[in-house]
Amino acid sequence: MSKYKRLANQFIEEIEDGKLIEGSRMPSLRQLAKQRSVSMSTAVSCYQELESQGWIHSRPQAGYFVAPRQYHHQTPNWAQFVSKVSSIEHNYAIHSPLSGPLGVSSTAIDESAQLELERSFRRASKRIGKRLNAYPTTQGEPALRNALSVHFSKLGLHVNPEELVITSGCMPAIKCALESCTQIGDAIAISSPCFSGILDLLGKMGRKIVEIPSLDDGVDLHQLEEHLKRGVVKAGIFCTSHMNPQGITMSAPQKLKLAQLANQYQTPIIEDDVYLELSYSEHTPLPAKYYEQDGYILWCGSVSKSLSPSYRLGWCLPGRFTDVYRHQHTASCFGVSLPIQLAVADFIESGQYAKQLKRRRAHLLKLRQEYQHYLGRNLPDNVKVSHPQGGMVLWLQIPNLDITAFQQQLAKNNVDIRLGQLFSTLDLYNDCLRINIGYALDQEIKRELDKLIEAIKLAS
């Protein structure tokens, strides 16, 4: 066992024995390195390990603290099945009249970020000058493309700003990617379960799908390769970090293998990385795009989850499909709002985006712990709850759930959640649901959770 893991296990024992109590301050990284006679890198890795497991959490400018004790429910079981080509027969768009806090995957922007964004918009308005009366460039503003390039280079990912295309969100980026490398009737590999918006998009675009089973460390790449070998799958769409809805992050070996499969079989893989920077630890996982060599991964992202969905701002790094992607994008998009592009570029360049991300990650970890703690105290013991390492959703599995009675109870009490059947064309997730955990656990949300918990108890 590595030194940092042995050190992390020592802290876990001290927390479990009550020697370190909930809310107590942990030693600073320098103090830890000195006290335990370890290097700074070992100290950092130790705290990252403890934070990823939910034993500690960080507070900006304050340090690390022991997290609230968790009630450990088992995590959901992943359905295993033989994947095959299927058609999307139903509409997976969500038309719920409800807008409760547990429904849409979202979180609130903090006051500090709001204030800095206002300053960025004021500086951007001066930067526009005479271009206020001009249309934005279709590929996207060089200032924003350069800012994103510099930002991601600090994470270890090289992004060529000349190849980057700015879009009006992640879903438009994915749609354009599909148009660039697939045709109507093609079979697209996706994870199972899969974000309902992807299912809805593929159905409307006339694509077929091959659902690939989820695993604890990603998806079943052996099944994916079998389909690639036979030429069944023409492309893939995979969220590789903090997947929606199941919360899984592909391990580094999985991402490497996915990139190798794309290159080996010369098959485009569209990587949906909208949650990439919402890891609960200080370490942002590298995308599969990092590992590829021949440009078969089209990397898509957005600030919708990392900053604000209202800006409708995303991007794509299309790799070898850059020319055709630009053509498709120009044909369907007349550019993204110039003031928004320049303001977000300023926000990134000023360093405020990175600071805001750090606060958001710490906040989301705290929320995950609080939601899990509340659910753990109130749910039946047999309910299984995911333990994601990033993002803003939890995936619940309720054994022996009567889905009809459950739906009736939800409708009766106006509870806004996302049922498991929304995330697959297969009849595999009727005992599952997804809830958003992006908002502070106040009395209103506790009331919503109480209604959900009561519905689970009555229907299982």
Side-chain angles (χ1 to χ4, degrees), residues 106-231:
S106 60
T107 188
I109 191 167
D110 64 52
E111 291 183 7
S112 178
Q114 271 191 299
L115 179 62
E116 292 300 333
L117 276 166
E118 289 172 5
R119 292 171 177 164
S120 288
F121 269 97
R122 286 197 293 270
R123 288 192 291 265
S125 66
K126 296 178 181 178
R127 196 171 181 175
I128 291 175
K130 294 181 179 179
R131 293 190 62 201
L132 188 61
N133 294 321
Y135 288 105
T137 58
T138 54
Q139 183 177 346
E141 283 303 299
L144 177 58
R145 290 188 277 120
N146 289 328
L148 289 168
S149 176
V150 171
H151 173 73
F152 286 115
S153 71
K154 294 176 182 177
L155 305 180
L157 178 66
H158 174 67
V159 174
N160 185 344
E162 297 303 315
E163 296 179 3
L164 201 62
V165 178
I166 304 302
T167 65
S168 55
C170 194
M171 289 301 289
I174 292 172
K175 180 177 183 292
C176 189
L178 282 165
E179 292 168 338
S180 301
C181 61
T182 69
Q183 298 178 349
I184 293 174
D186 282 350
I188 313 300
I190 60 173
S191 62
S192 182
C194 176
F195 172 48
S196 58
I198 296 293
L199 286 173
D200 186 60
L201 176 65
L202 289 169
K204 288 176 178 175
M205 294 183 69
R207 271 56 168 181
K208 297 179 180 179
I209 60 168
V210 177
E211 294 195 41
I212 306 296
S214 290
L215 303 173
D216 285 338
D217 66 342
V219 298
D220 188 343
L221 295 180
H222 296 293
Q223 288 205 48
L224 174 61
E225 184 168 12
E226 287 301 312
H227 289 291
L228 292 172
K229 280 181 181 177
R230 301 200 310 269

Side-chain angles (χ1 to χ4, degrees), residues 30-71:
R30 292 188 183 279
Q31 289 172 335
L32 174 60
K34 185 176 180 179
Q35 291 171 1
R36 304 295 176 112
S37 298
V38 297
S39 66
M40 277 295 289
S41 63
T42 297
V44 169
S45 296
C46 171
Y47 276 8
Q48 286 179 345
E49 180 72 12
L50 290 169
E51 195 172 22
S52 71
Q53 293 187 36
W55 292 102
I56 66 174
H57 63 87
S58 62
R59 299 177 191 167
Q61 286 84 48
Y64 291 87
F65 297 81
V66 178
R69 293 294 298 273
Q70 298 180 27
Y71 289 78

Side-chain angles (χ1 to χ4, degrees), residues 242-292:
H242 319 308
M243 301 178 192
N244 179 4
Q246 64 272 56
I248 298 169
T249 293
M250 281 189 179
S251 64
Q254 272 242 329
K255 291 180 179 180
L256 171 61
K257 180 64 175 178
L258 181 64
Q260 290 172 337
L261 290 176
N263 292 333
Q264 180 180 350
Y265 295 99
Q266 300 182 354
T267 302
I269 298 294
I270 300 167
E271 186 173 16
D272 172 7
D273 245 349
V274 71
Y275 291 97
L276 175 69
E277 298 193 87
L278 296 185
S279 174
Y280 297 147
S281 73
E282 291 295 318
H283 173 67
T284 297
L286 288 166
K289 180 71 176 177
Y290 170 81
Y291 300 98
E292 72 147 359

